[in-house]
Amino acid sequence: MQYIAFALITAILGIFIIGADLVISIIAFMFGANFRAWFLKGLWALLAMVLLMAYGVFFERNFFRLREVEIFSDNLPESFDGYRIVQLSDIHLDSFGRRSRALEKVVSKVNATDPDMVAVTGDLVSFTPSEINGFEQTLSSIRAKDGVYSVLGNHDYCFYYNWPAESDRLAAVSDLVEREDKLGWKLLMNSHSDIVRGKDTVSVIGVENTSTSRHFPSYGNLNKASDGAEGHYKVLLSHDPTHWKSEVTGKTDIDLTLSGHTHAAQMSLLGWSPSRLLFGEFKGLYGAWQGKLPAKGNYANVKDWKTSEASLEDQYLYVNVGLGETGFPGRIFMRPEITVITLRKYR
């Protein structure tokens, strides 16, 4: 299905380029230029587009990026200083249907980081739970000291498949939930889990998909998910990054939110991504007090940049650009991402 979409997108872009080339050539002809020469030169843009898309489909989608991020906080307990969270998001298993070795490579990279915890922030599948078939052993081999935690994304509710009846869709969602449990993952559906080390606790809170857009389902209940969470430091898994500003920053004591969803449009041209048009936060690390931060570096001096609003201190969002794809089965200058987040306590 993805390759049908690829062919359709290529055809539409091709028609657009040819149309634009035709219009420009006609205008040039009206000013005395040679129509044929201008038109043929314009066709090079069509070739460049095809080559760029082919690069994204056959090469870049397999260049997995391991991105290291350090996050500092006063609230982090001493015993969790150096705690490593690996975040995976938007796996979209249908995009790995013919690339099982690529997913095995991802899991090997994850396990090699020796994480304390792995967070999977939604959209494991694109259409149906059957996409998991054949990947059970690979996915269940992800290793972390405190386990793998996951939440559901908008695609995990199976809305994008033509089910005979609503009851069939609901049964598919239940099937997906059961399959994640069989993988050994801890699926958090408006719930939390406390990780304890000695007298110190970190809470992992997970909400069902929550979005400010009416185009995506919202089943999240943050109050229910957080109720009883005893962590000195709190990590929220929420698939859609629009949830962060709408309900988290300045309204909760959640320290770090991990999201995905955007894919950063699976492309970036000269540093610009179409995701900027749709999302305020679409990739990388953000801080509630001053907007986007670079995704690498030591933020031990970040206190100097904060505002005086204590309720906004130390609230971060990280948006992972995903592993898989939807629509266009490729990536153009937006490599699939494995994020390694190291939590640090301020000294």
Side-chain angles (χ1 to χ4, degrees):
M1 186 173 291
Q2 280 203 326
Y3 288 95
I4 294 175
F6 170 56
L8 182 61
I9 293 171
T10 302
I12 291 173
L13 289 175
I15 292 171
F16 175 79
I17 290 174
I18 292 173
D21 185 24
L22 183 62
V23 170
I24 293 172
S25 299
I26 290 173
I27 293 174
F29 176 74
M30 292 173 62
F31 283 89
N34 185 296
F35 172 84
R36 182 173 181 275
W38 271 78
F39 185 74
L40 291 177
K41 287 180 181 179
L43 290 181
W44 283 105
L46 182 62
L47 177 61
M49 180 208 71
V50 172
L51 291 176
L52 194 60
M53 294 185 74
Y55 161 76
V57 171
F58 298 107
F59 295 97
E60 186 164 334
R61 70 190 304 213
N62 296 307
F63 296 160
F64 301 104
R65 178 181 184 181
L66 195 69
R67 193 168 193 179
E68 298 268 0
V69 179
E70 286 185 310
I71 295 178
F72 287 77
S73 174
D74 284 328
N75 297 329
L76 188 72
E78 286 284 352
S79 59
F80 283 87
D81 189 16
Y83 195 82
R84 290 166 67 81
I85 302 172
V86 169
Q87 182 191 5
L88 304 176
S89 195
D90 301 88
I91 298 175
H92 291 286
L93 283 171
D94 69 312
S95 62
F96 286 92
R98 298 180 180 180
R99 300 187 301 136
S100 59
R101 289 186 179 179
L103 190 59
E104 291 170 3
K105 180 180 179 182
V106 168
V107 173
S108 294
K109 284 179 174 288
V110 170
N111 291 342
T113 66
D114 191 27
D116 293 290
M117 181 182 86
V118 171
V120 182
T121 49
D123 281 1
L124 177 62
V125 302
S126 295
F127 303 103
T128 75
S130 63
E131 294 170 32
I132 299 175
N133 294 346
F135 290 113
E136 294 92 343
Q137 183 175 350
T138 301
L139 294 172
S140 63
S141 65
I142 298 175
R143 296 285 177 262
K145 297 180 184 69
D146 293 318
V148 179
Y149 293 84
S150 64
V151 291
L152 298 182
N154 56 295
H155 278 265
D156 295 320
Y157 294 95
C158 305
F159 282 111
Y160 306 102
Y161 183 81
N162 187 23
W163 300 100
E166 175 67 2
S167 58
D168 295 304
R169 183 190 69 80
L170 294 175
V173 177
S174 296
D175 183 27
L176 179 62
V177 170
E178 184 178 344
R179 284 170 178 255
E180 291 203 22
D181 181 64
K182 288 181 179 178
L183 293 174
W185 296 4
K186 302 172 185 177
L187 178 61
L188 301 175
M189 299 182 68
N190 297 326
S191 60
H192 70 272
S193 181
D194 289 332
I195 300 173
V196 180
R197 290 188 174 179
K199 296 182 179 180
D200 296 331
T201 304
V202 164
S203 292
V204 184
I205 301 165
V207 292
E208 295 193 55
N209 196 75
T210 306
S211 177
T212 60
S213 171
R214 60 184 177 85
H215 299 293
F216 303 112
S218 284
Y219 300 120
N221 187 328
L222 184 56
N223 288 332
K224 177 183 176 182
S226 304
D227 187 33
E230 298 180 352
H232 305 90
Y233 187 90
K234 295 180 174 67
V235 179
L236 172 65
L237 311 186
S238 182
H239 177 67
D240 192 315
T242 62
H243 184 208
W244 186 58
K245 280 188 175 177
S246 69
E247 199 175 9
V248 178
T249 59
K251 304 177 182 71
T252 70
D253 60 351
I254 290 169
D255 300 278
L256 171 64
T257 300
L258 302 180
S259 299
H261 184 57
T262 72
H263 297 210
Q266 296 170 206
M267 65 175 65
S268 175
L269 300 175
L270 301 177
W272 183 86
S273 169
S275 275
R276 289 183 180 274
L277 303 175
L278 302 174
F279 298 96
E281 295 79 31
F282 67 96
K283 81 179 188 74
L285 184 64
Y286 299 82
W289 63 90
Q290 64 131 28
K292 192 173 187 303
L293 292 172
K296 293 181 71 174
N298 187 315
Y299 304 124
N301 63 342
V302 78
K303 286 183 177 179
D304 298 335
W305 306 336
K306 293 178 183 177
T307 69
S308 60
E309 299 180 62
S311 63
L312 294 185
E313 289 190 358
D314 290 323
Q315 288 190 293
Y316 291 89
L317 166 71
Y318 191 88
V319 184
N320 180 296
V321 301
L323 284 174
E325 307 90 27
T326 56
F328 172 55
R331 289 174 174 267
I332 299 175
F333 308 132
M334 187 61 64
R335 292 168 58 186
E337 179 179 347
I338 301 165
T339 314
V340 182
I341 298 171
T342 302
L343 303 181
R344 299 289 187 190
K345 186 172 181 63
Y346 283 127
R347 299 304 183 190

